[in-house]
Amino acid sequence: MRGVKAAGSAARQSWTSVAQAVWLPGVGAALSSLGYGAILSFAALLFAERGWHPVWLPFTAYAASLIAARLCFGHLPDRLGGARVAAIFVVAEAAGLLSIWLAPGPLVAAIGAGLTGLGYSLVYPGLGAEAVAHLPGGSRGLAMGLYTVFLDVALGFGSPALGLIAASAGLRFVFLAAAAAALPALAIALLLRRRSARARM
């Protein structure tokens, strides 16, 4: 990348201005992160409940898929635009979560977990690219810090909410709920894409 001059105080924006720029991508990231929380907290429990083995398989499939996708496709948000990539990959994440919800056996559930990891792999960085896209260099560290807070909130409050769903409706419905949360995340990504297209005109 080309070098950039150190940003002076004039290039920085106020905390509230940065928060206004970050909140919409952050909400999208929080909603899509519920799939990560579902895999992390409930996939092994689902396998144990159904007598599927090995119980570590879904999380390993998720993690391997996420790592491979970021290594192979991590350049796509820079090349195609963060919002466009996030919109495509959040659909893959939702499809993976629905596969786990409907899985008749461990193989389909593991494939669903891998598809969830593939999808989430570029939703979070794609929306993150949108969060900082229109901010000066001197504000991007603050923007990424605020953006990351949405992931923490999603895992800190979303996972217990998914636990309530598991307790009342059953473990598999956790994955249906996480897939449903991806729909507003998709809408946010499409809205951000439209905004970026308007800004370029």
Side-chain angles (χ1 to χ4, degrees):
M1 296 177 66
R2 283 175 294 165
V4 243
K5 291 181 182 177
S9 57
R12 295 192 186 110
Q13 291 188 348
S14 68
W15 189 93
T16 52
S17 298
V18 174
Q20 285 175 352
V22 166
W23 80 269
L24 191 58
V27 169
L31 290 167
S32 66
S33 295
L34 290 177
Y36 170 51
I39 297 285
L40 183 68
S41 303
F42 300 102
L45 294 175
L46 179 69
F47 266 54
E49 179 187 69
R50 299 200 164 186
W52 296 343
H53 297 286
V55 294
W56 49 261
L57 182 60
F59 187 73
T60 300
Y62 174 90
S65 178
L66 184 140
I67 292 166
R70 284 189 175 165
L71 288 173
C72 297
F73 307 119
H75 64 285
L76 289 181
D78 296 320
R79 205 167 145 197
L80 303 176
R84 177 194 244 179
V85 170
I88 294 167
F89 277 77
V90 78
V91 172
E93 179 186 0
L97 291 163
L98 288 173
S99 298
I100 300 171
W101 172 55
L102 296 170
L107 181 59
V108 174
I111 291 170
L115 189 56
T116 303
L118 170 68
Y120 184 66
S121 68
L122 292 186
V123 175
Y124 189 76
L127 291 173
E130 292 296 322
V132 301
H134 306 294
L135 293 170
S139 298
R140 289 185 177 176
L142 173 60
M144 284 311 297
L146 291 175
Y147 177 71
T148 304
V149 165
F150 285 89
L151 169 63
D152 299 333
V153 168
L155 296 180
F157 294 97
S159 295
L162 292 175
L164 292 173
I165 293 171
S168 59
L171 280 168
R172 74 188 190 100
F173 285 95
V174 164
F175 302 95
L176 176 62
L183 294 177
L186 173 60
I188 288 170
L190 293 173
L191 176 61
L192 290 169
R193 185 184 173 194
R194 189 177 300 170
R195 279 191 189 174
S196 295
R198 275 191 207 146
R200 286 193 298 268
M201 291 172 66

